Each structure stands twice: as structure tokens, then as C-alpha cells.
């Protein structure tokens, strides 16, 4: 039986980097609300046009819309044995809605992994983030360099411009950070220092604290 895990942490803390790897090794789905929104943007769906303004300004998509999408996703068959939520919940109302939704099914979140990285480090990381439009793989020009043969096709995320990164950090501190205490009260919070070490070391730190 896999676990139901949420990844917490500021923009650029490494939630996606770690969640992809955890999901692969645990054989459970990785569910990133940011990835779902960006896919809809790229494909020009009605949801994409609904969320575009929020993403481009670094604001949060409204809670109800976001929760409906996640609830839908969690009812799919591949979620029966656990999953890793990345970028959700990111407000107290979202966290409370998730708790209620799961309680209705006799389920709960078993681990909330909080990757802690100071703001100063975030800005440098995000300006150097690049991703592969074909595979979705995420690299970093400074800290996790891509293979040279794919360098030309890599793209930069629209919201990784320095002004937008500042707005995302502000949103994070105001609205998202309080849910760390919420999961602390539920007894499932796992704090992982996420700076001054590469992705492999952070991954080891996460495995060290996750329940068996
Ligand atoms: P989302 O896609 O979730 O973005 P985010 O939270 O800002 O997080 P990031 O994806 O930027 O960072 P990450 O922690 O995944 O870091 P990564 O692993 O890439 O959300 C985007 C937008 O969608 C939001 O602003 C909002 O508008 C909307 N949205 C999404 N969910 C929502 C919700 N629930 N409610 C409302 N709105 C929502 O790593 C970052 C970089 O650092 C990479 O280049 C990586 O290679 C590098 N790196 C990783 N680990 C290390 C390391 N240990 N050392 C050095 N570099 C590292
Ligand atoms: Mg991410």
C-alpha cells in the first residue's frame, strides 16, 4: 500500500523535482496542480483561459475551482494505492476541503513533506530553471544541468521572471505557509531542510523521514 502524501514548500523549493522521483520509485501517481493548469494553458482549453491571468501574475487560482479539479483526479482508479500531491493544497480552505473530501472516503493524508528553502536561494534557482517541452523534465542551468544535446529546445516558464517570482513568494508566505502548522497539528508534518544540497541528498533526507 502506497502513501497519501502532500508536498509543501515555497515556489522553487524542489517539490516537483522530488515528487517526480518519489512517484516513480513508489509506483504511485504524481499530481501537480501547476502542471495540470499549464497543460490546459498550452492546449488552449476553457480551463486554460480561466486560469491564465492567475498563473501569469503569481496569484492563486480560486480555491473551489482548484479543489474540484483535484477531487476529480483523486477519484480515478490509479489513486487507489496512494499519490503525491504537489502544489496542492496551498491555502487553509484547500487543506480543509481536502481533509473533508478524504474523510468522506475513510481516508487521510499520511505525510506532509515540507521542503524548507530560504527566499534568497529561490530567486537564483528559478531564474535558471528550464524544462523540456516534450518530456516535461525539469533542469537547472546552475544546479542540475540538462544534457547538452537537448539544450536548444528547453523552455523557461512564463512565471519564472523575477517580478513574478517575487509575487509568488509573497502569495506563498501570506496564504500557503499557514498550512504547515495545519499539518503539524494533524501529526503528519515532516520537515526536510532543502538548501545547500543537491536533489539526490534532499531525496535521501525525505526517505529518512517518510513512514515505512
Ligand atoms: P506550481 O507549478 O505549483 O509552482 P510553484 O509552487 O511556484 O512551485 P514550482 O514548480 O515553481 O517549484 P517546485 O517546488 O516544484 O520546484 P522545482 O522542483 O521545479 O504553481 C504554479 C501556479 O499555478 C501558481 O502560482 C498558481 O497560480 C497556480 N496553482 C497551482 N496550484 C494551485 C493551487 N493548489 N491553488 C491555487 N493556484 C494554484 O525546482 C525549482 C528549480 O530548482 C529547478 O530548476 C530544479 O532543477 C532546481 N532544484 C531542485 N532541487 C534543487 C536543489 N536541491 N538544489 C538546487 N537546485 C534545485
Ligand atoms: Mg513544481
Amino acid at each position: 500500500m502506497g502513501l497519501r502524501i502532500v508536498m509543501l514548500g515555497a515556489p522553487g523549493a524542489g517539490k516537483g523535482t522530488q515528487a517526480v522521483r518519489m512517484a516513480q520509485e513508489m509506483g504511485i501517481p504524481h499530481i501537480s496542480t501547476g502542471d495540470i493548469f499549464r497543460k490546459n494553458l498550452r492546449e488552449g482549453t476553457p480551463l486554460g483561459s480561466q486560469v491564465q491571468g492567475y498563473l501569469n501574475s503569481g496569484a492563486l487560482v480560486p480555491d473551489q475551482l482548484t479543489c474540484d479539479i483535484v477531487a476529480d483526479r483523486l477519484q480515478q482508479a490509479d489513486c487507489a494505492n496512494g499519490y503525491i500531491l504537489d502544489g496542492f493544497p496551498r491555502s487553509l480552505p484547500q487543506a480543509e476541503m481536502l481533509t473533508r473530501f478524504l474523510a468522506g472516503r475513510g481516508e487521510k493524508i499520511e505525510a506532509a513533506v515540507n521542503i524548507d528553502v530560504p527566499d534568497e536561494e529561490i530567486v537564483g534557482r528559478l531564474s535558471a530553471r528550464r524544462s523540456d517541452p516534450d518530456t516535461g523534465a525539469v533542469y537547472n542551468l546552475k544546479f542540475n544541468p540538462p544534457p547538452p544535446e537537448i539544450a536548444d529546445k528547453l523552455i523557461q516558464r512564463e512565471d519564472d521572471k523575477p517580478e513574478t517570482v517575487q509575487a509568488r513568494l509573497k502569495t506563498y508566505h501570506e496564504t500557503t505557509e499557514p498550512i504547515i502548522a495545519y499539518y503539524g497539528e494533524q501529526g503528519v508534518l515532516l520537515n526536510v531542510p532543502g538548501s545547500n544540497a543537491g536533489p539526490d541528498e534532499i531525496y535521501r533526507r525525505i526517505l529518512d523521514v517518510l513512514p515505512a
Side-chain angles (χ1 to χ4, degrees):
M1 174 65 199
L3 291 169
R4 295 182 197 91
I5 301 174
V6 302
M7 303 300 288
L8 306 177
K15 302 181 294 295
T17 300
Q18 298 300 333
V20 165
R21 184 156 168 186
M22 291 160 69
Q24 252 162 20
E25 296 196 15
M26 294 176 188
I28 53 179
H30 164 222
I31 302 170
S32 156
T33 39
D35 287 352
I36 293 173
F37 292 144
R38 279 185 294 278
K39 179 166 188 282
N40 278 274
L41 266 177
R42 275 197 309 277
E43 294 173 356
T45 68
L47 174 63
S49 20
Q50 235 177 319
V51 302
Q52 180 165 29
Y54 300 106
L55 268 82
N56 289 348
S57 65
L60 294 182
V61 172
D63 287 335
Q64 193 62 55
L65 177 59
T66 308
C67 287
D68 288 348
I69 288 163
V70 173
D72 225 54
R73 179 66 187 87
L74 296 185
Q75 292 179 71
Q76 291 172 23
D78 64 336
C79 292
N81 291 318
Y83 41 79
I84 302 177
L85 284 169
D86 161 12
F88 180 92
R90 59 209 286 160
S91 68
L92 270 179
Q94 289 185 13
E96 287 161 0
M97 272 191 257
L98 177 63
T99 301
R100 277 197 305 275
F101 171 81
L102 292 178
R105 300 155 51 101
E107 297 170 358
K108 68 195 261 304
I109 291 298
E110 284 126 343
V113 177
N114 178 40
I115 308 181
D116 191 16
V117 177
D119 287 9
E120 306 82 77
E121 212 169 310
I122 300 284
V123 182
R125 276 190 194 187
L126 290 184
S127 58
R129 171 163 60 186
R130 298 290 185 275
S131 55
D132 182 332
D134 299 326
T135 65
V138 173
Y139 301 98
N140 195 285
L141 300 179
K142 287 189 233 164
F143 306 110
N144 181 23
E149 62 276 15
I150 63 165
D152 286 347
K153 69 167 173 172
L154 297 179
I155 53 169
Q156 183 167 25
R157 247 169 69 172
E158 192 59 42
D159 61 350
D160 279 347
K161 294 191 294 264
E163 322 80 85
T164 317
V165 169
Q166 292 302 342
R168 286 160 61 203
L169 280 170
K170 186 160 182 281
T171 306
Y172 171 74
H173 291 300
E174 286 174 0
T175 312
T176 307
E177 216 168 16
I179 70 177
I180 296 175
Y182 176 85
Y183 284 110
E185 283 157 22
Q186 302 205 348
V188 295
L189 180 66
L190 305 168
N191 274 309
V192 176
S195 59
N196 294 319
D200 290 347
E201 169 60 19
I202 307 298
Y203 186 68
R204 271 189 293 274
R205 291 179 190 171
I206 293 175
L207 292 190
D208 274 353
V209 296
L210 272 183

